[in-house]
Amino acid sequence: MNPIAIGVFIVIALLTLGSGIMVVTVRNIIHSALWLIASFIGVAALYLLMEAEFLAVVQILVYAGAVSILVLFAIMLTRQVTGEGVRVVFERWWVALLIALGLFGVIVPTLWQHGSTWEEASKLAQVGPAPVEGTAAAGLQVATATEIGRSFMGEYLLPFEVISILLLMALIGAIVIAYEERTRRRRVLTLAEELALKKRGIVEPRDAEGAVVALDSEQA
Amino acid sequence: MVGSVPLVWVLTLAAGLFCIGLFGALSRRNIVGMLMGIELMLNSVNINLVAFWRYLQPTGTAGLVFAIFTIAVAAAEVAVGLAMVIAIYRARLTINADEIDTLKG
Amino acid sequence: MADALTQLGFASWLSVLIASIIKVTLILVGGSVGMMFLTWYERRAISYMQDRRGPNRVGPQGLLQPISEAIKTMTKEDATPREADRIVHFLAPVVMLGATVLSFAVIPWGRMFPVDLNAAVLFVIATGGLHSIGMMMAGWGSNNKFALLGGMRGVAQLISYEIPQVMAIIPVVLMTGSMSLQKIVEAQNDFGGLGWFVFSPVGLLGFALFFTASLAEGERTPFDIPEADSEIIAGYMTEYSGMKFAVFYLSNYMSNLAVCFITATLYLGGGNGPGVDALGGFAGGLLSLIYFLLKSFALFFIMVLIRATVPRLRVDQLMGFAWKFLLPLVLVNILSASFWVALLRWDQQWPQLTEWFGAPSTADATNWGRLAIAVVLTLLINAGAVALIMRLTNRNVQKHLYTTDEELALGLS
């Protein structure tokens, strides 16, 4: 038993769960995205604790560095910074709460019931300390980035190729979906133009189909 | 770590994160908020994969490889999902899920 | 260090703790003193390039100038805008500095490695990616249009340049077969400590690309669009003053220092050089540290030189440069790196190679034939790619620069 490891685990668990709760409860969606980053970093720390160094770094690089930034960009581009008095959750949010709590109530007792069998299995699978260089192998080593690379190029070659095609398709798809034709692009109005339109009582000129045509002003 | 923190604790942490994410995905009106809940759920699944790898099969790579696949799929999902959010916002000027109720774009 | 403490009679966990604290303190002190020296160095160097003298009054040659500047910023008023998001506004510089300091955890000082992480190379890039969060927080939390503009520009730039930066490292990882910085430094120790990657065609192109992308990551001129002071005041730093501004400044220069250190480690052989192995022991370590610092400050001199000579890019030019110039070259470089590795190392994967050119090099005997073929082949590929892409870029630029009279008359431009 190592008290330091337990203490570190508890701190990480509190960070991850606490910021997770903040993500789903905070009113301001940008604060929620920032708490999401904190939660991602907590998960990365957990990976480090479990000696999955490569995965921890990938977690920070992809989730904390890219996905969260993408989320922040999307929030800012859609300008839905919710202020006071606006509903941020559905009316029947308590149903969702019940479902989530119920699921938690089902999963956790099941886990603890099977805890002892896993404990045995994990004792069997223990690995020794990493062998010192130059000496004979002092025990098996935890799989590192090298082994991950080998299995990507060997055992999991087909899934690896499929995932690369998926990423390419997502790239193209995202561009096609978010692309805006130049002719339909809304121009940012000068302050004078905006005031003149507001004076005439026009807030959002729309075409026949109800789509916004020319303006980029605050939502009514 | 393996000697001192039982596997069940890690799995309970993952379960908690999953339920938090589920609540977020179900209750938020904002589509981006829903996506954030889904991200939390995917992360908790990754914790499970890595925990099982570390405790039960530390010399293999299956758990790690699966976690990396999940990360890649999640990245693709976020990219396409947020692109759709932006496209919806352009057409409707809202990203609240209950206000987007017609099929016509 | 921990072992020595244990021998002195400390408990094992206590000695680990004390050793870690000493290491962390050394890194922090080294990083911030290095940053202070860097500001003085940059100002002096750029002064001489612009035919003036620069700070030379406080202390010998103005060396103590950074200290007086630090005292000045600390005594200034720390103002927060009334409408700002106070917590986010306060946390942004903390996140920036934290990310920078994290990257120093794996950066070697000569041959001294604070932490030898398995995925150290990727770790440095990941901590660089965390900067974008700090920028976004600073830009949004200030509740200022210029700050938000600067933050958005900065984040878009960081994300775009992260891709060529990561991919420029792949050739190094391919040639070494590891992502640990220690292994990378060891792999560059051939030829009496001069087997640096920068001397191979693959490494040379990789060095140029990585350094350029890193300039953009560190927001150095000509890529300093996020804080272009003549356009958007100071970008995301507009609403910061006093100590918080100083923290931004500190993190900026520390990350520049980190970029120089990492480039020196990856491509210029880290602490390797003639005589290090011959001396060995403590003297060798000291010599390697001197070599390493010399290389890093030479790199920083190049940064200053670029700042003094190249004008700032426009936003569209910036993005075009990342996606249309750096990215294709980086991909070509990965291709030639794989040729390089195949020609120098393979004997089992493709036995014909051994049949044709002889066995690959070992520690004792270098196979000069294989080396020569690899150099010629990769040089051809890389030089061809650079020439082609430069030509295409030039043609594109000219098309945008010059419009003919007919086009103007027809309103086509």
Side-chain angles (χ1 to χ4, degrees):
Chain A
M1 293 296 267
N2 183 355
I4 295 183
I6 293 179
V8 171
F9 174 79
I10 289 173
V11 169
I12 291 173
L14 286 181
L15 168 70
T16 313
L17 291 180
S19 37
I21 289 173
M22 295 305 275
V23 171
V24 295
T25 50
V26 169
R27 298 188 59 84
N28 189 330
I29 188 91
I30 287 199
H31 285 178
S32 159
L34 293 176
W35 281 112
L36 187 70
I37 297 172
S39 187
F40 286 159
I41 289 174
V43 174
L46 192 64
Y47 291 161
L48 263 188
L49 201 62
M50 291 196 279
E51 298 176 66
E53 287 172 4
F54 180 71
L55 209 59
V57 174
V58 167
Q59 167 88 9
I60 290 182
L61 193 65
V62 175
Y63 273 114
V67 166
S68 55
I69 292 298
L70 220 56
V71 168
L72 279 171
F73 256 102
I75 293 170
M76 289 181 183
L77 287 178
T78 50
R79 294 189 302 138
Q80 280 264 328
V81 182
T82 318
E84 301 296 316
V86 183
R87 231 159 15 93
V88 293
V89 290
F90 287 122
E91 245 168 81
R92 267 168 279 171
W93 59 271
W94 50 270
V95 179
L97 186 64
L98 277 185
I99 292 173
L101 283 180
L103 189 66
F104 192 68
V106 171
I107 293 177
V108 171
T110 323
L111 283 180
W112 285 80
Q113 230 167 28
H114 292 277
S116 54
T117 45
W118 282 329
E119 207 60 21
E120 292 305 310
S122 71
K123 283 218 175 67
L124 286 179
Q126 287 274 10
V127 287
V132 184
E133 243 171 282
T135 62
L140 292 167
Q141 218 178 343
V142 175
T144 56
T146 320
E147 269 102 79
I148 298 176
R150 277 188 205 291
S151 49
F152 267 138
M153 285 294 133
E155 207 177 336
Y156 301 100
L157 185 60
L158 185 66
F160 184 67
E161 295 297 330
V162 172
I163 210 89
S164 58
I165 291 175
L166 173 82
L167 282 175
L168 182 65
M169 278 162 57
L171 181 77
I172 296 170
I175 292 172
V176 169
I177 293 171
Y179 184 76
E180 196 175 25
E181 282 167 51
R182 206 168 272 267
T183 48
R184 283 176 66 92
R185 194 171 292 170
R186 273 173 281 141
R187 186 166 60 90
V188 178
L189 298 185
T190 63
L191 199 59
E193 284 173 315
E194 211 167 308
L195 282 177
L197 280 171
K198 274 203 180 127
K199 215 177 256 173
R200 281 192 280 150
I202 303 171
V203 183
E204 287 294 352
R206 285 157 188 266
D207 62 13
E209 290 170 3
V212 183
V213 278
L215 260 192
D216 184 27
S217 62
E218 291 299 320
Q219 192 188 347
Chain B
M1 156 87 192
V2 178
S4 24
V5 182
L7 176 58
V8 182
W9 292 16
V10 186
L11 296 184
T12 312
L13 165 65
L17 201 60
F18 188 87
C19 294
I20 293 170
L22 183 67
F23 172 68
L26 290 181
S27 67
R28 283 257 177 198
R29 280 176 82 207
N30 191 319
I31 301 181
V32 182
M34 288 180 182
L35 273 173
M36 288 198 271
I38 293 170
E39 285 307 312
L40 282 182
M41 286 157 78
L42 284 167
N43 260 283
S44 80
V45 172
N46 267 353
I47 295 178
N48 264 1
L49 289 171
V50 176
F52 277 124
W53 160 78
R54 182 65 188 89
Y55 282 83
L56 301 182
Q57 198 214 2
T59 50
T61 53
L64 291 176
V65 168
F66 254 89
I68 290 173
F69 280 147
T70 318
I71 290 178
V73 172
E77 170 240 316
V78 166
V80 177
L82 293 178
M84 283 167 68
V85 169
I86 290 172
I88 289 172
Y89 179 76
R90 272 202 202 114
R92 307 285 171 86
L93 277 182
T94 178
I95 51 168
N96 286 342
D98 50 351
E99 289 166 16
I100 304 164
D101 48 6
T102 50
L103 281 177
K104 223 169 130 192
Chain C
M1 198 192 287
D3 299 334
L5 284 169
T6 322
Q7 279 168 6
L8 283 176
F10 288 102
S12 67
W13 64 272
L14 193 66
S15 53
V16 169
L17 196 68
I18 294 175
S20 316
I21 289 175
I22 291 175
K23 266 188 200 169
V24 169
T25 318
L26 279 181
I27 291 169
L28 284 180
V29 169
S32 21
V33 169
M35 169 265 172
M36 280 178 146
F37 176 70
L38 221 56
T39 53
W40 171 82
Y41 178 72
E42 168 160 24
R43 288 168 69 182
R44 288 290 284 190
I46 207 162
S47 299
Y48 277 102
M49 289 172 201
Q50 295 166 346
D51 204 11
R52 53 196 178 89
R53 287 195 186 279
N56 61 354
R57 293 302 158 95
V58 193
Q61 290 293 316
L63 256 176
L64 297 179
Q65 182 74 23
I67 295 175
S68 89
E69 306 268 322
I71 293 170
K72 186 193 78 182
T73 42
M74 269 186 244
T75 50
K76 277 195 172 177
E77 188 195 351
D78 180 18
T80 311
R82 194 155 44 97
E83 297 292 320
D85 192 326
R86 281 177 175 277
I87 298 168
V88 177
H89 186 265
F90 172 77
L91 280 180
V94 179
V95 171
M96 289 286 266
L97 189 63
T100 313
V101 170
L102 263 184
S103 69
F104 271 85
V106 296
I107 289 176
W109 295 73
R111 289 201 174 167
M112 286 167 280
F113 297 87
V115 180
D116 187 34
L117 206 63
N118 220 326
V121 175
L122 217 53
F123 181 82
V124 175
I125 306 292
T127 51
L130 286 182
H131 280 253
S132 50
I133 299 171
M135 264 186 213
M136 199 66 137
M137 285 166 76
W140 185 77
S142 305
N143 203 359
N144 175 316
K145 278 184 183 169
F146 293 112
L148 189 58
L149 261 180
M152 296 282 253
R153 281 184 181 190
V155 171
Q157 173 180 337
L158 280 193
I159 289 187
S160 309
Y161 277 85
E162 217 166 67
I163 295 162
Q165 203 191 10
V166 173
M167 290 174 94
I169 295 179
I170 292 178
V172 171
V173 176
L174 267 178
M175 291 195 279
T176 317
S178 169
M179 283 194 287
S180 142
L181 285 173
Q182 190 162 10
K183 295 257 172 61
I184 288 174
V185 171
E186 276 166 19
Q188 304 181 60
N189 206 14
D190 310 335
F191 307 109
L194 279 175
W196 308 346
F197 285 144
V198 75
F199 293 140
S200 66
V202 178
L204 184 62
L205 184 59
F207 167 72
L209 296 172
F210 179 78
F211 196 62
T212 318
S214 299
L215 282 182
E217 285 278 308
E219 297 145 47
R220 297 281 312 183
T221 343
F223 305 109
D224 61 341
I225 289 170
E227 40 198 89
D229 24 9
S230 49
E231 300 167 22
I232 47 172
I233 313 177
Y236 55 91
M237 286 190 259
T238 304
E239 292 290 358
Y240 284 90
S241 59
M243 201 54 215
K244 286 189 207 146
F245 179 77
V247 168
F248 269 120
Y249 205 70
L250 177 71
S251 108
N252 223 328
Y253 270 88
M254 271 176 88
S255 67
N256 285 337
L257 190 64
V259 160
C260 292
F261 281 1
I262 283 293
T263 319
T265 309
L266 286 179
Y267 298 97
L268 300 182
N272 289 339
V276 173
D277 283 327
L279 274 174
F282 181 73
L286 202 65
L287 185 63
S288 81
L289 183 64
I290 292 171
Y291 276 138
F292 180 67
L293 290 179
L294 278 181
K295 288 169 193 172
S296 308
F297 285 118
L299 282 175
F300 191 73
F301 184 76
I302 298 178
M303 279 192 177
V304 176
L305 197 63
I306 291 173
R307 178 180 161 188
T309 42
V310 185
R312 184 185 304 136
L313 265 68
R314 245 176 16 227
V315 176
D316 59 326
Q317 288 172 334
L318 178 91
M319 292 295 160
F321 186 68
W323 295 105
K324 295 181 196 159
F325 189 84
L326 290 182
L327 196 62
L329 278 183
V330 160
L331 289 173
V332 170
N333 200 28
I334 292 175
L335 179 76
S336 51
S338 48
F339 277 126
W340 175 270
V341 171
L343 278 167
L344 289 190
R345 294 248 192 81
W346 276 12
D347 53 347
Q348 300 293 319
Q349 285 90 339
W350 199 22
Q352 270 88 357
L353 277 180
T354 313
E355 213 172 281
W356 295 335
F357 309 123
S361 310
T362 54
D364 311 319
T366 313
N367 186 336
W368 294 102
R370 277 193 172 214
L371 191 62
I373 294 169
V375 167
V376 170
L377 183 66
T378 50
L379 192 65
L380 278 180
I381 296 176
N382 282 356
V386 170
L388 181 71
I389 288 175
M390 275 197 160
R391 217 185 133 142
L392 288 178
T393 316
N394 275 343
R395 193 186 292 166
N396 221 354
V397 166
Q398 277 169 1
K399 210 162 72 187
H400 282 292
L401 273 184
Y402 306 111
T403 2
T404 55
D405 291 343
E406 296 93 83
E407 278 176 330
L408 269 182
L410 292 170
L412 283 177
S413 63

